[in-house]
């Protein structure tokens, strides 16, 4: 089975703030599915912010090193 993340939604009922992230446009990148389109919206009662990321090229990096390992 091929499970793909489609949406994450979070809300805070007291302050009525929400965040929603949608994933789509999946393509195969070295045997792994990767979402080429990610859109997110954060909103409160007074403001709203939207962000759309559309990837053109994705490369898999096999060896990641972190100084805190």
């Amino acid at each position: 089975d091929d499970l793909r993340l489609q949406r994450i939604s979070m809300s805070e009922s007291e302050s009525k703030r929400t965040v929603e992230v949608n994933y789509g446009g999946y393509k195969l990148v070295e045997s792994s599915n990767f979402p080429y389109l990610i859109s997110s919206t954060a909103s409160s009662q007074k403001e709203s912010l939207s962000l759309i990321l559309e990837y053109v090229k994705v490369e898999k990096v096999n060896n990641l090193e972190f100084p805190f390992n």
Side-chain angles (χ1 to χ4, degrees):
D1 290 318
D2 186 22
L3 299 176
R4 296 179 186 177
L5 182 61
Q6 292 184 1
R7 179 182 306 139
I8 295 175
S9 181
M10 296 176 279
S11 63
E12 186 179 53
S13 58
E14 188 175 310
S15 64
K16 297 184 181 176
R17 294 185 290 187
T18 62
V19 174
E20 184 171 290
V21 182
N22 294 291
Y23 301 87
Y26 280 87
K27 294 181 184 176
L28 205 58
V29 177
E30 296 184 29
S31 73
S32 297
N33 281 308
F34 186 85
Y36 272 65
L37 181 61
I38 302 172
S39 63
S40 61
T41 303
S43 58
S44 67
Q45 289 181 330
K46 296 180 182 181
E47 300 178 287
S48 181
L49 174 70
S50 294
L51 174 68
I52 298 173
L53 296 174
E54 187 171 359
Y55 293 96
V56 175
K57 181 179 178 184
V58 174
E59 293 180 24
K60 186 175 178 181
V61 177
N62 291 324
N63 297 321
L64 294 176
E65 294 184 21
F66 299 97
F68 49 84
N69 279 349

